[in-house]
């Protein structure tokens, strides 16, 4: 998620220590790096994709080598390195304890981010137009113009080839004419969730769904109002079902972020008129009324407060939620800003922007991570 009014980042990551699996036999080393200097238009050797794993136990050396192998994958590696790691995962994960599985998942997510990272063409104006046209065509399922591919770097052509050949790589639309590459998060979740507790499985699967595409683009919310409500309801139900479950603090922060967007919108997305008196679409009001009927629900209380605020006259709003006429610098507060100032008092939604140096990011991947400060 990107920063808007009351911008924020959300999340929390878990750190665990990878312990050894039960020893059985010696294991081979795994080669994970391969230069892309001579890459043309690649094809994926699908015979190397992992299938049903062999259930035979493997030794501690192979399990421990798995983490080292993932650390070596970067943006010069080929997809075959990841397939080799996936094959080892099929053998190691059934023997790992819960902490080990979560730790390997963290390493796997970071590995794929390194594998897909490329800033040479994405940030270079010389290639921007061709890169945009090619990625836009891929996103739309259209044929890619060969002459456009020729103007891109070997690494970008390689990643595009992976998309065309069905690898777990996707086009990621950043908005405003920018594109990137992303891992298929649902495919990632499918590898690990069979070996996790139900609360962990539910968390990770939902994150995979929500983060498959960007949530905020050009300060606009990319989901529908109905989907936004569904996401908020999911996280409220998750917290109720698993009060001591996996990353429940993260879940509460995610819920608060959706509460904010549900009742305040974003810079370029509004659900009501500027005075917050009428919904822009009839279904928005119907959905909000339905939300008030949830039993023992924070969202129900929010929806009730919101509808009550919408019904207040100007004088009632001023009486119940007084606001200053000028800001801290002495400038007159715009009428629309005044309305949202009062709405903020009425809703009392906790800030989801951490100020204690503990900022996390839950807007990418299937687990929350330390926010990058660069």
């Amino acid at each position: 998620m990107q920063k808007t009014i009351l911008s924020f980042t959300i999340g929390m990551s878990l750190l665990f220590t990878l312990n050894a699996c039960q020893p059985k036999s010696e294991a081979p080393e795994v080669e994970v790096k391969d230069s892309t200097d001579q890459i043309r238009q690649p094809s994926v050797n699908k015979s190397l994709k992992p299938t049903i794993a062999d259930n035979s136990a493997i030794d501690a050396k192979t399990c421990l080598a798995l983490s080292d192998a993932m650390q070596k994958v970067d943006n010069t590696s080929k997809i075959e390195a990841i397939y080799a790691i996936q094959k080892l995962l099929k053998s190691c994960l059934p023997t790992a304890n819960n902490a080990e599985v979560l730790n390997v998942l963290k390493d796997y997510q970071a590995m794929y981010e390194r594998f897909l990272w490329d800033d040479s063409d994405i940030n270079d104006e010389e290639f921007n137009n061709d890169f945009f046209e090619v990625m836009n065509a891929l996103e739309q399922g259209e044929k890619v113009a060969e002459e456009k591919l020729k103007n891109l770097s070997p690494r970008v052509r390689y990643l595009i080839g992976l998309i065309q050949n069905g690898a777990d790589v996707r086009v990621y639309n950043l908005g405003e004419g920018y594109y990137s590459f992303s891992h298929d998060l649902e495919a990632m979740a499918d590898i690990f969730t069979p070996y996790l507790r139900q609360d962990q499985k539910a968390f990770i699967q939902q994150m995979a769904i929500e983060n498959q595409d960007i949530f905020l683009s050009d300060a606009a919310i990319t989901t529908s109002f109905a989907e936004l409500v569904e996401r908020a309801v999911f996280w409220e139900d998750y917290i109720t079902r698993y009060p001591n479950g996996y990353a429940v603090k993260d879940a509460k922060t995610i819920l608060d972020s959706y509460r904010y967007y549900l009742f305040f919108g974003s810079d370029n997305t509004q659900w009501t008129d500027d005075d917050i008196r009428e919904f822009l679409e009839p279904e928005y009001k119907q959905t909000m009324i339905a939300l008030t009927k949830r039993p023992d629900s924070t969202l129900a209380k929010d929806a009730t407060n919101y509808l009550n605020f919408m019904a207040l006259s100007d004088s009632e709003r001023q009486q119940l939620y007084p606001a200053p006429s000028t800001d801290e610098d002495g400038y007159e507060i715009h009428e629309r800003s005044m309305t949202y100032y009062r709405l903020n008092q009425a809703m009392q939604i906790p800030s989801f922007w951490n100020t204690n140096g503990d900022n996390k990011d839950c807007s990418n991947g299937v687990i929350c991570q330390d926010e990058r400060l660069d």
Side-chain angles (χ1 to χ4, degrees), residues 24-30 57-66 88 92:
K24 292 291 181 181
S25 61
E26 290 298 316
E29 295 184 358
V30 180
I58 57 178
D59 69 4
K61 181 178 180 181
T62 302
C63 287
L64 291 173
L66 181 58
L88 286 179
C92 274

Side-chain angles (χ1 to χ4, degrees), residues 122-123 128 131-132 135 171-180:
I122 295 174
N123 297 322
N128 243 350
F131 181 78
F132 167 79
M135 296 293 275
V171 172
Y172 194 71
N173 190 336
L174 298 168
E176 301 184 73
Y178 292 94
Y179 284 94
S180 185

Side-chain angles (χ1 to χ4, degrees), residues 74-76 111-120 122-123 155 159 180-181 372:
D74 59 19
N75 61 356
T76 68
M111 173 198 71
Y112 235 110
E113 289 177 355
R114 293 193 304 272
F115 176 75
L116 296 175
W117 175 252
D118 188 284
D119 60 355
S120 60
I122 295 174
N123 297 322
R155 183 60 181 180
L159 296 177
S180 185
F181 298 98
R372 294 174 179 172

Side-chain angles (χ1 to χ4, degrees), residues 323-341:
S325 57
T326 59
D327 62 20
E328 296 177 351
D329 298 319
Y331 294 101
E332 183 179 357
I333 299 178
H334 188 273
E335 184 176 348
R336 183 167 182 265
S337 299
M338 184 81 72
T339 300
Y340 278 85
Y341 182 93

